[in-house]
Amino acid sequence: MNKTILAALIGAGATISAAIIGLNAGKSSEQKNIQNEINEVMGDMVNIIGDGNEVTINDIKDLVEDYQNLQKQNKSLTDQNIKYFDELTEASNKIEDYENQTNTRVQELEQQLNDSPDIQFKDIGLSVNGENIPINSTKSSAIINNRIYYSDEFVKSLIGSKNSISIQDDTMYIGKIIKEKSSLLDEWILNSLGAEYENNLTDSYGNIHTNALQFYNKTCSIIYNLNGEYSLLKCNISIRDNAVMNETGIITIKADDTVVYTSPALTKTTEPFSEEDIPINNCSLLTIEYNSSSSSNKCIIDNITVYN
């Protein structure tokens, strides 16, 4: 209630009946209840003390309606506050989740940084047998975790134009692609005469051979069972270091009794050499023979491989 009105009520000294203020006409049950609450506070009579004071009291109906409006506004504000609180809580949770994800990602990046390899690039040129090979030497070599890698151009120039390079099934092939191959060490020996495998043999040019086949008599032979699974053969051929000068020997290879290869005359001065793509025609039995003028002219064959 306005302070001026309250002072006037106290100073007037007049007696006003609460029943005149509390008119019930046209009021709802809620308004009546509010009016009753006001009557309980103010009592049935209101005393106004003072002379010559003019007092104006608003209709109780307006007071009740204002009170109701305030209650509705209060409820609306309360609902809005609840909504804002819920939205704030949701936003706070999202921010917290984002911070957690950000921290996790930062930790992952730090771990990746710690795990990243140490890389150093170098500019390396290429010279083969004293001849400079024109290549792009800029960053042609990289050292990654103490392992040296070379560029594709560098490798191709090193191998030369006679050999092709291809990659299949995670394997780099230089030259021919041989998917099915076997060492004769792993094949079944049907019969042997004057032939044996040795783990450490030296040829007449000082090269050491391991797991090599040695022919040590004048007439030697060895027969393998290949079950018709391979079509080609390759091997390395040389003469033992203790061979006698001017003695000779010849190697003959047969595929099911058909001669498919005959070597040149082999002496102590014959340089070690390789033979490739000897056609064995998917034979069942493979025979390798060695005939020498002397048992002192021992022959070495190693890296004997059959393939398709």
Side-chain angles (χ1 to χ4, degrees):
M1 186 177 294
N2 189 284
K3 293 181 179 180
T4 302
I5 297 175
L6 179 59
L9 288 174
I10 295 173
T15 301
I16 302 174
S17 172
I20 296 175
I21 301 173
L23 297 176
N24 292 323
K27 300 181 178 62
S28 65
S29 60
E30 183 181 359
Q31 290 174 329
K32 291 177 180 179
N33 290 334
I34 295 171
Q35 179 179 332
N36 292 332
E37 292 178 4
I38 294 173
N39 290 337
E40 288 180 2
V41 174
M42 298 179 64
D44 293 335
M45 302 295 291
V46 178
N47 295 322
I48 301 177
I49 302 172
D51 294 331
N53 292 312
E54 182 179 356
V55 179
T56 301
I57 299 178
N58 293 329
D59 193 301
I60 192 66
K61 181 180 178 181
D62 294 336
L63 180 61
V64 171
E65 288 178 352
D66 291 341
Y67 180 75
Q68 286 180 308
N69 290 333
L70 287 174
Q71 281 187 317
K72 291 178 182 178
Q73 291 177 7
N74 183 61
K75 184 177 183 304
S76 176
L77 290 174
T78 301
D79 292 340
Q80 281 188 333
N81 286 338
I82 293 174
K83 179 186 176 192
Y84 292 153
F85 179 79
D86 292 340
E87 291 176 350
L88 180 62
T89 301
E90 182 180 358
S92 178
N93 291 335
K94 288 183 179 180
I95 292 173
E96 184 177 357
D97 292 340
Y98 178 77
E99 289 178 347
N100 291 335
Q101 293 176 1
T102 302
N103 291 335
T104 301
R105 182 56 180 162
V106 169
Q107 291 175 357
E108 291 176 353
L109 292 175
E110 288 178 348
Q111 185 63 38
Q112 291 177 6
L113 183 62
N114 293 333
D115 295 339
S116 61
D118 179 24
I119 303 176
Q120 300 177 21
F121 291 99
K122 288 190 174 182
D123 300 341
I124 302 294
L126 178 62
S127 176
V128 178
N129 294 325
E131 180 181 355
N132 293 329
I133 307 300
I135 64 169
N136 183 6
S137 62
T138 303
K139 294 183 178 181
S140 59
S141 175
I143 302 175
I144 304 176
N145 292 338
N146 295 324
R147 296 189 66 178
I148 302 176
Y149 299 85
Y150 294 97
S151 67
D152 184 68
E153 181 185 4
F154 193 101
V155 174
K156 288 181 179 179
S157 299
L158 187 63
I159 293 174
S161 59
K162 293 182 180 180
N163 293 309
S164 61
I165 298 177
S166 58
I167 297 177
Q168 294 185 15
D169 302 326
D170 297 328
T171 300
M172 176 180 286
Y173 293 91
I174 299 176
K176 297 179 181 179
I177 299 177
I178 300 175
K179 292 189 176 181
E180 297 181 4
K181 65 180 179 177
S182 173
S183 170
L184 282 188
L185 283 170
D186 301 325
E187 299 298 328
W188 179 258
I189 298 175
L190 190 69
N191 188 47
S192 65
L193 176 66
E196 62 183 1
Y197 280 98
E198 296 285 348
N199 192 42
N200 191 355
L201 296 172
T202 304
D203 64 30
S204 59
Y205 281 78
N207 302 305
I208 297 176
H209 303 262
T210 58
N211 294 323
L213 179 63
Q214 175 182 222
F215 294 114
Y216 55 86
N217 284 334
K218 290 180 62 176
T219 302
C220 311
S221 66
I222 188 168
I223 303 173
Y224 298 91
N225 177 25
L226 299 182
N227 295 314
E229 295 178 350
Y230 303 99
S231 59
L232 299 170
L233 179 146
K234 63 180 180 179
C235 62
N236 300 328
I237 300 173
S238 57
I239 295 296
R240 277 291 308 271
D241 59 335
N242 56 3
V244 176
M245 294 291 292
N246 299 322
E247 298 290 344
T248 61
I250 293 176
I251 292 176
T252 302
I253 298 177
K254 297 178 179 179
D256 290 332
D257 296 328
T258 300
V259 176
V260 294
Y261 173 79
T262 301
S263 73
L266 305 174
T267 68
K268 190 172 184 177
T269 59
T270 301
E271 293 187 17
F273 64 96
S274 299
E275 295 288 356
E276 294 185 356
D277 297 340
I278 299 173
I280 58 176
N281 306 322
N282 297 96
C283 63
S284 294
L285 298 179
L286 176 70
T287 304
I288 302 177
E289 297 177 347
Y290 177 66
N291 294 288
S292 175
S293 60
S294 170
S295 59
S296 61
N297 195 49
K298 298 179 178 64
C299 179
I300 301 172
I301 303 180
D302 67 342
N303 294 326
I304 313 172
T305 304
V306 288
Y307 55 97
N308 292 317

